[in-house]
Amino acid sequence: MCGIIGVLGNHEAAPQLVESLKRLEYRGYDSAGIATVNGGVLDRRRAVGKLVNLSDLLVHEPLAGKAGIGHTRWATHGAATTGNAHPHRSGPVAVVHNGIIENFKELRAELATFGLTQESETDTETVVMLTRHYMEQGKSAREAATATLARLEGAFALLFLFEGEEDLLIAARKGSPLAIGHGTGEMFVGSDAIALAPMTDRITYLEEGDYAFVTRQGAEIFDREGRPANREIHQIDLGQARIEKAGYKHFMAKEIAEQPAVLGDALAHYLKGSALNLPEELDFSNLDRLTLVACGTASYACHVAKYWFESLAHLPCEIDVASEFRYREPPLPAKSWALFVSQSGETADTLAALRYAAPRVEKTLAVVNVPTSSIAREADLALPILAGVEVGVASTKAFSCQLLVLAVLALKAGRDRGVLSEADLAGHLETLRLMPGLMNQALALSGEIETLAERLAEAQDILFLGRGPMYPIALEGALKLKEISYIHAEGYASGELKHGPIALIDRMVPVVVIAPHDRLFDKTVSNMQEVMARHGKVLLISDARGLAEAAEGTWATLKLPAVAEPFAPLLYTIPAQLLAYHTAVAKGTDVDQPRNLAKSVTVE
């Protein structure tokens, strides 16, 4: 997701804008730019590539002014070029934009009849052209922006800056998050609290359809109907908004290492003594079905949760990829709940799926990392995963915390539905309490995995195999590897191997087999033997008992501590993440900001 920042300050805006954009680099981007108003004159600077290129440009071509806007762009409409970079400008107006203007072609054709032609390939330029057109008709900046917003279709966050207006920013939010920061005689606008943290700890989150006129004295906020809206000012914890590598080479490495600690925080929140600490309104006893909806890594967390809900609670579950859910128009039983999982809480497809399900089910739940996010606010009940800020585009600690919260919910469902006894519940809770310590043991394999990764980095294709709840971990392991190393990787249920994927096996294809010594271990080993019979190079990840029985003939092994069923997925995700990380490092790719990917996907 692109990054937006706006400043109405008491000091030069350019340094503040660039510093805030640096804090938004974790979102992924391919160009950047800023615009300021100085002495009434609007000007801008844009550059392709990393922010250092923009910083270099500003050294040679500085921008003065205490009012400005900035942007990091992830290309959607149009390639990554200077001409397509934000801010976009037409006459007296400049705009930065996250999202997609769906009706830009119709608006562009209309504006051409007035002699306004587009210079870039982007949908965003249509916004500034339309605003300019209204200003040329005699409308004020505020009137022109409001008229423009009424014409736009799609999902967007927009921030307007005007020539001759050194005390005005106009912000609008429809489907993409935007926040206003309150200072003393200063005001700020940003994509999230991380961008605003160095400047203020007082944040107002715009609601869906809101727009705001921001001056140094404050913000006038209006809802989608144009009525004045009173939005709460939140005091944020600046410590939670800090983004530092803390001595690690990459944010991803730091976030992998943080998992025992953040999982411990989540456990402390959701477990109180020998009991679960969940809201009273969570009663699963009379449900007919639970629908789980998410995208990407979060959807794999849902796949693991399906095993848990069905085995521990005998609760039928259905999983949907959010981008397909509402278009499939699934029938949803009245006595069902729908649960939506999203790291950011702003994932466009997941939010749209929530809005589809809300009037059709008894209750909607959200499992998110940002309690002030759109999904959290719109769901009937939001459960925070408490992972803290995650900067690396490839999710690691958020995935583990999602699994933990989903595990706790499955245990609650099992108890509510009479499937789990008090003794069963106590045993499972003890397994979860041991997990941070087990994770620390798994993290100690990092050096061993680094050595294996040197060989894996030479591969063009890698397969991951798992059975039962290990199958989603195989899917997640493959996703992590291809996200950051750009090696083609696929995850399969190991029983499906002979139904097609076995055709890929040869000496050049490493196969990662994820197989704790559980009730499905013998089945997985049988599939692994089929790989080795065809000269496949097997990396077996198991515990001591599993390796003692099945390590013979494998290329390499990784030994994890024994863990009680069914929560082994929490532990086995660690080596999958480390394999991806060290392989990417060995290949020299950009681990934290892999190509073409954004941290939060707020467009369809």
Side-chain angles (χ1 to χ4, degrees):
M1 181 174 65
C2 307
I4 285 177
I5 186 65
V7 171
L8 293 175
N10 298 322
H11 306 284
E12 289 298 311
Q16 290 180 295
L17 294 169
V18 172
E19 182 59 33
S20 291
L21 291 179
K22 288 179 181 177
R23 297 176 65 82
L24 293 172
E25 283 190 293
Y26 73 96
R27 291 165 171 251
Y29 69 103
D30 46 44
S31 62
I34 66 171
T36 63
V37 178
N38 184 45
V41 177
L42 174 65
D43 202 358
R44 63 179 168 163
R45 301 287 183 267
R46 300 176 294 171
V48 174
K50 297 299 184 183
L51 273 169
V52 66
N53 298 334
L54 178 62
S55 296
D56 288 347
L57 178 63
L58 288 167
V59 170
H60 300 288
E61 300 178 36
L63 272 185
K66 298 179 181 179
I69 56 177
H71 190 266
T72 49
R73 176 180 186 251
W74 186 62
T76 51
H77 290 76
T81 65
T82 302
N84 288 332
H86 296 218
H88 282 285
R89 178 183 182 179
S90 185
V93 57
V95 161
V96 290
H97 166 221
N98 292 350
I100 292 177
I101 307 301
E102 293 178 352
N103 61 332
F104 79 98
K105 290 182 180 178
E106 300 94 306
L107 294 173
R108 180 191 292 174
E110 176 187 328
L111 290 163
T113 66
F114 298 105
L116 293 172
T117 57
Q118 194 149 335
E119 298 176 357
S120 75
E121 303 169 274
T122 69
D123 55 328
T124 307
E125 193 178 0
T126 309
V127 178
V128 288
M129 290 165 58
L130 186 58
T131 309
R132 173 185 179 176
H133 170 64
Y134 285 130
M135 294 181 75
E136 288 176 347
Q137 289 184 327
K139 293 184 183 294
S140 68
R142 297 184 184 214
E143 293 167 341
T146 303
T148 296
L149 293 172
R151 299 287 308 279
L152 303 181
E153 298 174 9
F156 51 78
L158 289 163
L159 188 59
F160 297 77
L161 181 69
F162 298 90
E163 191 156 74
E165 298 277 1
E166 298 189 49
D167 192 26
L168 177 66
L169 294 174
I170 298 179
R173 178 250 166 96
K174 181 184 177 185
S176 193
L178 206 57
I180 296 172
H182 302 260
T184 303
E186 298 179 297
M187 292 290 286
F188 313 96
V189 179
S191 301
D192 59 26
I194 290 176
L196 300 175
M199 299 175 286
T200 180
D201 63 351
R202 300 172 63 238
I203 306 292
T204 295
Y205 296 95
L206 293 183
E207 300 285 344
E208 182 70 6
D210 283 357
Y211 63 93
F213 303 135
V214 183
T215 68
R216 287 177 175 81
Q217 285 67 52
E220 297 175 77
I221 302 175
F222 300 86
D223 66 16
R224 69 181 76 197
E225 305 299 330
R227 299 170 299 205
N230 184 22
R231 305 299 184 211
E232 184 181 354
I233 297 177
H234 299 268
Q235 194 91 18
I236 63 168
D237 180 356
L238 292 180
Q240 291 294 313
R242 295 178 63 184
I243 49 171
E244 298 174 349
K245 292 180 182 175
Y248 289 88
K249 186 176 181 181
H250 300 98
F251 283 110
M252 185 177 179
K254 171 177 175 280
E255 288 154 8
I256 291 173
E258 286 176 339
Q259 286 174 108
V262 295
L263 208 74
D265 292 341
L267 283 166
H269 179 82
Y270 286 106
L271 275 58
K272 299 298 182 185
S274 60
L276 296 168
N277 181 39
L278 288 165
E280 292 183 4
E281 61 265 40
L282 273 178
D283 185 349
F284 292 86
S285 57
N286 294 315
L287 283 189
D288 290 335
R289 189 171 78 186
L290 180 65
T291 298
L292 304 166
V293 185
C295 297
T297 286
S299 74
Y300 296 148
C302 291
H303 277 268
V304 176
K306 176 181 171 69
Y307 285 97
W308 290 339
F309 278 109
E310 293 186 344
S311 65
L312 296 172
H314 298 174
L315 175 59
C317 286
E318 182 174 303
I319 302 171
D320 257 290
V321 175
S323 57
E324 295 292 329
F325 178 72
R326 63 184 171 123
Y327 297 113
R328 192 166 63 81
E329 298 183 346
L332 297 170
K335 290 180 66 176
S336 70
W337 293 356
L339 190 155
F340 301 86
V341 183
S342 168
Q343 180 270 138
S344 68
E346 301 292 349
T347 310
D349 290 314
T350 308
L351 181 57
L354 168 61
R355 290 170 178 166
Y356 172 85
R360 295 173 171 84
V361 297
E362 189 176 285
K363 189 186 294 291
T364 57
L365 308 179
V367 173
V368 296
N369 199 31
V370 185
T372 56
S373 63
S374 299
I375 291 172
R377 292 198 303 269
E378 294 192 26
D380 295 323
L381 180 64
L383 298 162
I385 65 172
L386 305 168
V389 175
E390 187 178 68
V391 175
V393 168
S395 181
T396 52
K397 64 177 181 174
F399 177 68
S400 293
C401 286
Q402 287 167 354
L403 288 177
L404 185 281
V405 175
L406 291 167
V408 168
L409 288 173
L411 291 173
K412 176 68 161 62
R415 195 69 190 95
D416 289 345
R417 297 168 69 84
V419 178
L420 295 178
S421 67
E422 289 292 347
D424 292 332
L425 178 61
H428 289 311
L429 293 182
E430 182 60 25
T431 298
L432 291 179
R433 287 192 182 93
L434 293 172
M435 197 58 65
L438 296 175
M439 281 183 162
N440 273 320
Q441 293 180 55
L443 289 169
L445 296 172
S446 184
E448 193 175 338
I449 291 173
E450 184 176 6
T451 300
L452 294 174
E454 294 289 340
R455 294 287 303 278
L456 291 177
E458 299 169 358
Q460 293 185 330
D461 304 277
I462 298 178
L463 300 183
F464 287 72
L465 302 179
R467 271 188 181 265
M470 291 300 113
Y471 166 43
I473 301 305
L475 292 171
E476 171 62 7
L479 177 63
K480 280 291 157 285
L481 187 70
K482 57 192 166 192
E483 278 182 320
I484 62 173
S485 76
Y486 316 144
I487 295 173
H488 174 252
E490 297 294 337
Y492 289 98
S494 57
E496 287 295 293
L497 186 68
K498 52 186 165 292
H499 295 288
I502 200 167
L504 300 172
I505 302 299
D506 62 24
R507 289 181 172 86
M508 304 304 293
V509 179
V511 180
V512 180
V513 179
I514 304 172
H517 197 287
D518 56 18
R519 59 192 177 88
L520 297 174
F521 178 75
D522 290 339
K523 299 288 187 182
T524 305
V525 170
S526 177
N527 301 134
M528 185 182 80
Q529 294 293 341
E530 293 172 341
V531 172
M532 293 193 294
R534 289 156 179 83
H535 310 292
K537 189 166 64 174
V538 170
L539 166 57
L540 175 60
I541 306 176
S542 188
D543 49 41
R545 185 177 174 188
L547 295 182
E549 292 184 18
E552 184 178 354
T554 60
W555 164 61
T557 62
L558 289 171
K559 185 172 74 174
L560 292 180
V563 58
E565 293 187 63
F567 299 121
L570 280 157
L571 178 63
Y572 278 72
T573 190
I574 299 289
Q577 293 169 356
L578 288 170
L579 278 171
Y581 172 74
H582 286 300
T583 303
V585 171
K587 289 200 69 180
T589 60
D590 190 338
V591 172
D592 288 330
Q593 297 171 36
R595 67 189 183 198
N596 303 331
L597 296 178
K599 183 61 178 169
S600 177
V601 182
T602 57
V603 297
E604 288 193 71

